[in-house]
Amino acid sequence: MSFENLNLHPLIIKAIHEAGYVEPTPIQKQAIPELISGIDIIASAQTGTGKTAAFMLPALHQLTTPSTTNSRGPRILVLTPTRELADQVSNAAKKYGKYTPRTKVISILGGMPYPLQNKLLSQPVDILVATPGRLIDHIRRGRIDFSRLQTLILDEADRMLDMGFLMDIKQIVSFLPQSRQTVLFSATLDPAIEKVAAQLLNTPKRIQIATRQTRLDHIEQRLHYVDDLTHKNRLLDHVLRDTGLKQAIVFTATKRNADIIADNLYACGHTAAALHGDMNQRERNRTLTKLRKGDLRILVATDVAARGIDISDITHVINFDLPKFAEDYVHRIGRTGRAGAAGIAVSFASSKDNIHLKRIERYTGHSIASHIIPGLEPRNKTGRHNDGIKKSNAPAYRKGKHSTSATLNKRQNANPHFMRAPKVTRSTANRSGLGK
Ligand code: ADP
Ligand code: MG
């Protein structure tokens, strides 16, 4: 499919081609027609998949038809969490709107002088890109006329929530026409985002681009079968003693468990702390800052709290409890192996989790190799060892503790049963699509 199939104005297509884009990305293919049709959407796709054009191209397309309201205020409002992102969005709008009429873009960002912004706001504007805090100031001073606003776009909504902008956003929305289109983009969708969407959007359509497209090849995925909680805790202790471990995130299923494990680890002398949705923003920020600075070695977190963390020293992700959804598995393990570094993702599972594991493997197109640590073998060794992974290979796995991706690959090559046969083709196919 090409951009021509998306019914965008020819002058927008011209600018896109000039930008060197040949084909729309998956999120663009799905979101652009929906947004042109005028409905609200809530969309998620990984970072770097072209979300900006996905919302900006339809916005520019709308602007090609003159407004029927006699006003000079913005027709499109984009809220972003940071100045840097706002700059990126404004630049993209200017680039894609290079040839189309009525596309005056201005940015209103925190930390910039008010007089200049007042001057900008006194002129006609079509696209306003802003960070929430500063925008609220101007709105309160009556400097913005939203009477002809058609579309509100919340970019990186998850980050805006993480940064505590929810109240500001709600207040901004209270000044906007009810008849508007509302678009929410986020790298991840979680219950907090869904709640905001339910409040601000009008029967939105969900567009979720499968995160399996994330490159996971540089993350070594390991599985440990566990008998019970004591066994899990011993294994956790073992993994955390890995000298190659710089920083780790341990994921738990519940907030309570995150607290308990963090406390236990702390009591055992680890620098560990919990992060979850029950903590207030201040506490969460403080913990994340510590982690970022390296003052914290282990973060014990739930799914809700640990999204979007981008810290290059996180060498290990440990799924103390498996995530409920396969998609979250990918989000979780993507916290390691940042910026091209290698990462290790360790998952604990009991034999009861086999179906769940299969679901995860189907989703990622990758079979997770099971490892055994001498002295910490599971009592119940049947687990999945019978299922595709031959017991005769057990000695090799016992070296699991020191195994590297390279040794794993060798083993996989030597033993075709290591990966279950039907999956090999599937995963190969997936991966070959990823490199692009
Ligand atoms: P996201 O918001 O999803 O993180 P961006 O919108 O910032 O992603 O886009 C990431 C990069 O991809 C940008 O450099 C952008 O110019 C480029 N890009 C976007 N859409 C396309 C496309 N259809 N073809 C080629 N490059 C694209
Ligand atoms: Mg973006």
Side-chain angles (χ1 to χ4, degrees), residues 45-53 55 85 88-89 155-156 185 187:
Q46 287 287 114
T47 309
T49 53
K51 291 193 286 296
T52 319
F55 62 73
L85 275 161
Q88 278 178 40
V89 171
D155 188 23
E156 304 246 1
F185 271 78

Side-chain angles (χ1 to χ4, degrees), residues 295-317:
D295 294 343
L296 197 62
R297 187 163 168 262
I298 300 152
L299 183 73
V300 190
T302 57
D303 282 307
V304 180
R307 295 188 170 216
I309 298 174
D310 185 9
I311 299 175
S312 56
D313 273 354
I314 295 176
T315 50
H316 289 60
V317 164

Side-chain angles (χ1 to χ4, degrees), residues 178-426:
Q178 289 260 320
S179 59
R180 68 175 192 275
Q181 177 184 42
T182 310
V183 184
L184 185 154
F185 271 78
S186 179
T188 57
L189 298 182
D190 58 39
I193 296 282
E194 304 278 357
K195 195 170 153 203
V196 173
Q199 289 167 351
L200 306 183
L201 279 65
N202 183 12
T203 51
K205 173 152 184 191
R206 287 172 71 97
I207 298 178
Q208 238 170 324
I209 302 299
T211 39
R212 75 186 91 180
Q213 289 169 341
T214 335
R215 305 190 59 155
L216 298 177
D217 7 354
H218 56 301
I219 300 173
E220 181 187 330
Q221 301 175 55
R222 299 178 187 169
L223 176 70
H224 289 288
Y225 275 104
V226 294
D227 298 322
D228 50 29
L229 192 60
T230 316
H231 190 202
K232 253 191 194 183
N233 281 324
R234 289 178 61 209
L235 274 166
L236 177 64
D237 182 63
H238 177 91
V239 174
L240 294 180
R241 281 174 203 285
D242 184 337
T243 48
L245 186 149
K246 282 195 206 159
Q247 286 184 299
I249 304 186
V250 179
F251 284 102
T252 63
T254 64
K255 297 166 193 166
R256 201 177 123 75
N257 252 357
D259 279 330
I260 294 173
I261 294 171
D263 286 349
N264 282 348
L265 291 174
Y266 190 79
C268 292
H270 293 284
T271 48
L275 188 76
H276 54 66
D278 274 356
M279 293 160 59
N280 69 35
Q281 196 59 42
R282 255 246 219 88
E283 293 171 311
R284 282 164 67 168
N285 288 346
R286 204 179 302 134
T287 305
L288 279 179
T289 304
K290 275 196 201 158
L291 189 70
R292 211 161 267 132
K293 281 170 125 180
D295 294 343
L296 197 62
R297 187 163 168 262
I298 300 152
L299 183 73
V300 190
T302 57
D303 282 307
V304 180
R307 295 188 170 216
I309 298 174
D310 185 9
I311 299 175
S312 56
D313 273 354
I314 295 176
T315 50
H316 289 60
V317 164
I318 299 148
N319 291 313
F320 191 83
D321 303 311
L322 285 178
K324 213 159 147 198
F325 302 106
E327 186 191 343
D328 289 330
Y329 176 83
V330 176
H331 283 304
R332 285 182 178 189
I333 75 169
R335 297 306 114 220
T336 181
R338 306 298 289 182
I344 294 176
V346 181
S347 298
F348 297 159
S350 79
S351 48
K352 279 190 230 143
D353 292 318
N354 278 341
I355 292 172
H356 197 59
L357 272 172
K358 277 200 184 130
R359 219 180 297 142
I360 291 172
E361 291 179 330
R362 214 177 309 123
Y363 185 79
T364 59
H366 180 89
S367 202
I368 312 173
S370 131
H371 287 242
I372 289 169
I373 290 164
L376 290 171
E377 297 88 350
R379 268 194 313 274
N380 172 11
K381 285 193 192 158
T382 50
R384 217 180 29 161
H385 300 270
N386 288 334
D387 183 13
I389 299 172
K390 280 188 174 173
K391 268 194 179 158
S392 57
N393 288 317
Y397 306 130
R398 293 216 174 96
K399 289 184 205 137
K401 186 174 140 194
H402 302 293
S403 75
T404 61
S405 299
T407 57
L408 268 175
N409 286 341
K410 255 188 242 153
R411 265 185 246 142
Q412 286 169 5
N413 291 340
N415 174 16
H417 297 284
F418 193 89
M419 280 212 178
R420 274 163 286 162
K423 285 228 178 86
V424 175
T425 36
R426 201 190 153 114

